[in-house]
Amino acid sequence: MLIIRFFSFFALILISLLVNATPSIKHQSSHKKSRPVIALVLSGGGAKGAAHIGVIETLEKNHVPIDIVVGTSIGSYVGGLLALGYNAKQIKSMMFSVDWERGFSDFIPRDELLFADKILRDKYNITLNLGYSGGKVKLPGGLLLGQSAMQVLNQSVGDVGNFNSFDDLPIRYRAVATDLVTSHQVILHDGSIAKAMKASSTVPGALVPTKLNGQLLVDGGISNNLPVSVARSMGADIIIAVDIGSSLLLKKHINSSIDVLNQLSTIMTVTTTRQGKKLLHRKHDLLIRPDVNGLGTANFSILEEAYQEGKKGAVKQKVGIQALSISNKDYAIYQAKKEFKIKQWMAKRRRPTVKIVYNNESHAAVEFISAHFGLQPGKFISKKELATAVQRVYALNRFEFVNAEFTDTRSGRILTLTTRDKSWGPDYVHIGIGLEGDLKGTIEPTFDLGYILKDITANGGIWKNELTLGWEKGLLTQFYQPLDKKQLFFGRSTLEYKEDNYLENKSSFADERLAFYDKYTQARLGVGTNYMNNGSSEIGVLGSFGQFFYASPNVDFNGLSGKQKYRTYGGYVFLDFDDLNSVNLPTSGNKISMKLFLRNDIFKDKTLNDDVNASLQVTFDWRGAATIGSHTYVFISSFATILTRGLKTKYLSELGGFLNLSGYQKDAILGAHKAFLAVVYQYDLTRLSEGIGVPVYVGSSLEGGNVWKLHQTINLQDFIGSGSLFLGTDTSYGPALIGIGYASTIKDFKDDSLSVFFSLGKKW
């Protein structure tokens, strides 16, 4: 055993001597080099970058050593992985397992949002990054913020620490980006390898420019798509350049403005690629051009095809590649040097994190950020744990960019979390649009406009202003003040004007439409706690004044008739939990809401005397979803009741509409008490075809429920049976649904048990 340990130690010393000898060789004059320095130069080309892997695999099989790798855009990604010491097989596995489609969206899944942000998402379904402050409309610097793109890159290299120089990597490495201000190329040679990859791949206009070292950086293809010149400046004697850039369109293929824009973009990269090719004039320089012209740069379903074309392109240069081959012995020494450096940086990844630093470039309190980051120093932090923690912070929906980087020190790893404010804030404009209707002529549009000012106090105070138009109208201003830095407790004050309109579409009362309009101004003052990310509770007091108008003066409905003024004072308790992944067509999670109102309503009767009604109103709503394979089951329950000794109430519950007694028109049945149950089945049609880009569901429901008037006896035998068949999709803009509903008829309603309904945008 001692002999084995001795020879292992001797082998380690030998490898170390070989590695340490490298710098002396590098800095000697060229005539003393043991062999020429070979550089691999990889161009940009999006998804076609898998072709680079096919070339690298061929080089490895032919024992061609790579001393320098320089990449632009996707070439910087593949080149960066190669520089870290991964072989072609490993790079292919990593690149093919990355969810590249995720990089095309910065959309935060609903179930990851804080409870308050879920409410905003449901109400304001038009996902515009739009702000207004200082008298200016503000927009981000790109269609995408780049957060998801960074997370995609971090799937591969998220736990790799910063490097003082990319010369310290197993293979010397450079990434090329473009300075958006000067248009000059920027050669990235140190720091975070993931950030270098992102800067080099930031498509201008599509992604917000990457801020690095005081510069605004975008895709390197603009300034140098085939960076042969960079490799030459690093001392390369021989260059193997791989060009996967797009070719210019022929005249006959330029037929639209989109074609013109694509051609202009290609012209920029083709021009810089030609400049790089002109530098390939030395003996043994190779240009490999895989046949990838027919493949799309943004279509990552073609990775395997591009990889195969890369191998074919390399085979065409077989003679030139074999001329660069070295002996088995020399290649083993080359590999041993790489392995030694690989073990060095990999060993650092397994060390514990000794310190967490918050580089907070936002108005949010560090205590708030750290509470949601949730990682503590003193232990090893895995790449998966780090990615999950970063996503938790980004899901706070406060930041344009969130990123975490390791710096390795003698005592251990230092983790730095960077959080950057949204550039179009802190005042935000929100828009919500919805349209619901049926083929009987009932169409109800709704429009919501919100102007929300965030971080107006040290603890993250929010001032929300809202306008609602449609069948129901309203104005609201609300101030939300966290009471501590972690925003666990809060106070909230609300002032709103609202017009609630109720319409019982058909009735036995002289077969007329029964309308009830309630116009009021209400103030609320409460305190509460965000007891968890998905839950909130609040208790408070309220007061209001207004008037209601009942359109049928000869009919008494829940004690209401004609026009009456009133004022109200009382208190409330809210308890909510919500982790549904979608409020419209959920496949997982639960949404539970319980509300209690204790009120004194003081009505003015016809003699202008006060008629006081004390009441307790309780509502409970639950929606839960579970998915097994392609099959989703949704369960819905809704109950409401009012306890009062008075003879009237203006607080009504409604039934009617999709999954709410689907056979009736929306909110067709009104009453003081409500009971409703439903079971919904959804099948995901996307499981049948991979070509469908958004989830499409076909479903059916079984429903039952009813409403009762204020002093009517509640009897479950009065339950109305209902059901539906529907087809719909759920998008970031809300659902698009069409279906047919049926309900058992009741004596008060005529010919209203069958409904063909549709819904677009947000539901309300």
Side-chain angles (χ1 to χ4, degrees):
M1 191 70 182
L2 184 62
I3 295 175
I4 294 174
R5 290 177 63 186
F6 171 77
F7 278 107
S8 298
F9 177 75
F10 179 77
L12 184 63
I13 293 296
L14 179 61
I15 292 173
S16 179
L17 289 172
L18 288 169
V19 172
N20 292 331
T22 304
S24 61
I25 295 174
K26 184 174 64 178
H27 295 295
Q28 289 173 1
S29 59
S30 59
H31 69 275
K32 293 184 178 180
K33 290 179 182 177
S34 58
R35 61 173 178 79
V37 175
I38 301 176
L40 180 64
V41 175
L42 305 177
S43 80
K48 297 184 290 184
H52 291 321
I53 304 174
V55 173
I56 293 170
E57 182 178 299
T58 304
L59 296 176
E60 289 175 348
K61 287 181 178 179
N62 285 276
H63 287 183
V64 176
I66 301 300
D67 306 294
I68 296 169
V69 59
V70 183
T72 293
S73 197
I74 194 67
S76 72
Y77 170 79
V78 176
L81 295 180
L82 180 66
L84 284 168
Y86 295 109
N87 59 37
K89 183 178 179 180
Q90 292 168 323
I91 296 172
K92 182 183 179 186
S93 175
M94 294 169 77
M95 185 175 184
F96 281 45
S97 64
V98 166
D99 183 7
W100 293 101
E101 298 296 332
R102 179 186 170 195
F104 296 121
S105 173
D106 290 305
F107 185 76
I108 302 172
R110 185 184 185 276
D111 52 320
E112 295 180 8
L113 292 168
L114 297 182
F115 176 76
D117 289 324
K118 289 183 174 77
I119 296 174
L120 288 179
R121 170 74 62 80
D122 296 341
K123 187 169 188 176
Y124 300 109
N125 59 309
I126 306 301
T127 51
L128 295 176
N129 293 324
L130 180 64
Y132 179 85
S133 56
K136 296 181 180 179
V137 175
K138 295 181 178 180
L139 294 168
L143 296 176
L144 299 174
L145 305 180
Q147 176 67 27
S148 295
M150 190 68 191
Q151 291 296 84
V152 163
L153 295 174
N154 281 334
Q155 280 185 246
S156 301
V157 294
D159 57 347
V160 177
N162 288 345
F163 292 90
N164 293 327
S165 171
F166 291 155
D167 286 343
D168 298 332
L169 293 168
I171 298 176
R172 296 170 63 203
Y173 169 69
R174 297 292 186 271
V176 175
T178 302
D179 187 321
L180 188 59
V181 176
T182 65
S183 78
H184 297 155
Q185 76 170 2
V186 176
I187 303 170
L188 302 173
H189 50 75
D190 60 13
S192 163
I193 196 166
K195 195 174 287 184
M197 292 174 177
K198 179 177 179 291
S200 180
S201 308
T202 299
V203 180
L207 290 169
V208 171
T210 299
K211 295 180 180 179
L212 189 60
N213 301 326
Q215 296 173 296
L216 294 178
L217 304 182
V218 294
D219 198 297
I222 297 172
S223 56
N224 198 347
N225 195 48
L226 193 66
V228 175
S229 58
V230 178
R232 288 280 189 232
S233 68
M234 294 175 69
D237 299 309
I238 299 172
I239 290 177
I240 304 171
V242 185
D243 175 23
I244 59 168
S246 300
S247 299
L248 291 170
L249 295 173
L250 298 175
K251 181 179 179 181
K252 63 181 180 180
H253 294 145
I254 303 176
N255 301 309
S256 68
S257 58
I258 299 298
D259 295 335
V260 173
L261 291 174
N262 286 336
Q263 187 79 332
L264 290 174
S265 176
T266 304
I267 286 173
M268 288 188 290
T269 56
V270 166
T271 300
T272 61
T273 299
R274 287 172 179 169
Q275 293 171 351
K277 289 178 180 179
K278 290 178 181 179
L279 299 176
L280 297 173
H281 49 70
R282 295 186 184 180
K283 185 179 180 181
H284 298 302
D285 283 347
L286 294 177
L287 174 63
I288 299 175
R289 171 69 181 171
D291 185 10
V292 291
N293 270 341
L295 305 182
T297 58
N299 181 10
F300 283 87
S301 66
I302 53 89
L303 290 178
E304 179 63 33
E305 188 177 351
Y307 162 73
Q308 295 295 339
E309 290 298 334
K311 291 202 296 184
K312 293 177 184 177
V315 168
K316 292 178 182 178
Q317 293 283 4
K318 183 177 181 180
V319 174
I321 288 174
Q322 289 179 340
L324 303 178
S325 177
I326 59 177
S327 68
N328 291 343
K329 178 181 177 182
D330 289 340
Y331 197 72
I333 294 174
Y334 163 78
Q335 290 286 70
K337 292 178 182 179
K338 281 175 53 181
E339 286 295 328
F340 184 81
K341 287 195 173 184
I342 291 170
K343 289 178 180 178
Q344 283 183 318
W345 72 258
M346 280 196 168
K348 293 177 181 178
R349 290 199 314 180
R350 293 186 286 270
R351 300 173 71 196
T353 298
V354 296
K355 184 179 181 181
I356 296 179
V357 176
Y358 291 92
N359 178 28
N360 185 21
E361 301 174 12
S362 77
H363 290 89
V366 170
E367 293 86 348
F368 176 64
I369 297 170
S370 63
H372 291 275
F373 191 47
L375 298 180
Q376 300 297 328
K379 64 175 186 177
F380 165 73
I381 297 174
S382 69
K383 182 165 61 176
K384 183 178 180 179
E385 287 176 315
L386 183 60
T388 301
V390 167
Q391 182 60 21
R392 277 198 304 268
V393 175
Y394 184 65
L396 296 174
N397 203 23
R398 303 293 195 274
F399 313 109
E400 180 174 315
F401 181 71
V402 179
N403 190 46
E405 295 177 354
F406 285 109
T407 301
D408 294 297
T409 67
R410 290 184 178 182
S411 58
R413 313 197 86 185
I414 296 175
L415 178 60
T416 300
L417 180 73
T418 298
T419 46
R420 184 180 304 144
D421 261 336
K422 293 180 178 179
S423 58
W424 60 98
D427 303 350
Y428 304 96
V429 178
H430 297 267
I431 298 173
I433 298 175
L435 181 67
E436 293 186 63
D438 55 51
L439 297 188
K440 294 184 178 181
T442 301
I443 298 178
E444 298 180 357
T446 182
F447 173 79
D448 289 282
L449 178 66
Y451 181 52
I452 301 176
L453 294 75
K454 292 189 175 182
D455 298 316
I456 60 178
T457 65
N459 283 0
I462 300 173
W463 183 18
K464 180 166 65 174
N465 301 275
E466 298 181 328
L467 168 67
T468 298
L469 298 174
W471 174 244
E472 296 182 347
K473 303 174 180 65
L475 279 170
L476 177 144
T477 183
Q478 182 183 91
F479 180 63
Y480 172 89
Q481 174 58 44
L483 302 178
D484 61 303
K485 294 291 186 182
K486 293 183 179 181
Q487 301 191 16
L488 180 61
F489 300 97
F490 63 85
R492 191 194 324 256
S493 58
T494 305
L495 179 65
E496 68 175 323
Y497 169 78
K498 196 169 183 182
E499 296 183 8
D500 286 335
N501 300 319
Y502 303 92
L503 181 66
E504 195 164 49
N505 293 310
K506 289 186 178 180
S507 171
S508 62
F509 299 122
D511 195 25
E512 57 185 295
R513 297 165 68 86
L514 301 181
F516 168 60
Y517 309 97
D518 185 14
K519 301 178 181 181
Y520 61 90
T521 300
Q522 183 179 91
R524 296 193 304 272
L525 182 63
V527 294
T529 176
N530 298 306
Y531 62 89
M532 62 190 308
N533 285 358
N534 295 316
S536 176
S537 63
E538 184 177 342
I539 184 170
V541 295
L542 59 83
S544 64
F545 63 89
Q547 66 176 1
F548 65 78
F549 175 75
Y550 197 44
S552 300
N554 299 321
V555 178
D556 184 286
F557 187 69
N558 286 318
L560 303 174
S561 63
K563 182 186 292 186
Q564 284 186 292
K565 293 184 178 181
Y566 65 87
R567 64 184 188 274
T568 299
Y569 64 90
Y572 64 88
V573 177
F574 297 161
L575 181 61
D576 294 281
F577 173 85
D578 185 354
D579 69 348
L580 277 182
N581 65 338
S582 168
V583 74
N584 306 299
L585 294 167
T587 57
S588 67
N590 292 274
K591 187 177 189 295
I592 302 171
S593 177
M594 185 172 68
K595 292 179 170 57
L596 286 81
F597 294 94
L598 183 62
R599 304 183 181 97
N600 270 331
D601 295 309
I602 304 170
F603 296 93
K604 290 289 185 182
D605 61 18
K606 295 180 180 179
T607 63
L608 299 181
N609 292 320
D610 288 345
D611 182 8
V612 180
N613 285 261
S615 66
L616 173 65
Q617 182 184 20
V618 181
T619 66
F620 176 83
D621 295 280
W622 169 61
R623 177 170 296 202
T627 298
I628 303 173
S630 301
H631 311 279
T632 297
Y633 302 90
V634 182
F635 305 93
I636 303 171
S637 66
S638 182
F639 302 93
T641 189
I642 297 175
L643 305 177
T644 178
R645 293 181 180 178
L647 299 177
K648 64 181 66 175
T649 183
K650 75 182 192 70
Y651 307 107
L652 303 176
S653 296
E654 304 145 316
L655 280 177
F658 177 55
L659 302 185
N660 197 38
L661 287 187
S662 299
Y664 292 99
Q665 292 175 306
K666 180 176 173 62
D667 300 337
I669 314 174
L670 306 175
H673 312 286
K674 177 177 71 172
F676 176 77
L677 295 168
V679 178
V680 185
Y681 169 75
Q682 297 169 189
Y683 182 80
D684 186 358
L685 293 176
T686 57
R687 302 296 181 99
L688 302 178
S689 174
E690 295 182 357
I692 303 176
V694 294
V696 177
Y697 302 100
V698 59
S700 63
S701 66
L702 292 176
E703 310 159 32
N706 205 344
V707 297
W708 293 266
K709 297 174 184 177
L710 184 60
H711 293 293
Q712 189 176 358
T713 301
I714 299 174
N715 191 337
L716 297 183
Q717 292 181 353
D718 296 334
F719 258 43
I720 303 168
S722 183
S724 71
L725 295 172
F726 62 89
L727 178 69
T729 182
D730 200 10
T731 71
S732 59
Y733 299 101
L737 291 162
I738 187 169
I740 183 170
Y742 173 81
S744 56
T745 58
I746 54 178
K747 64 178 183 178
D748 288 345
F749 282 70
K750 297 179 179 180
D751 303 323
D752 204 20
S753 59
L754 188 66
S755 176
V756 179
F757 55 82
F758 64 88
S759 176
L760 296 172
K762 79 182 193 71
K763 295 179 68 63
W764 58 283

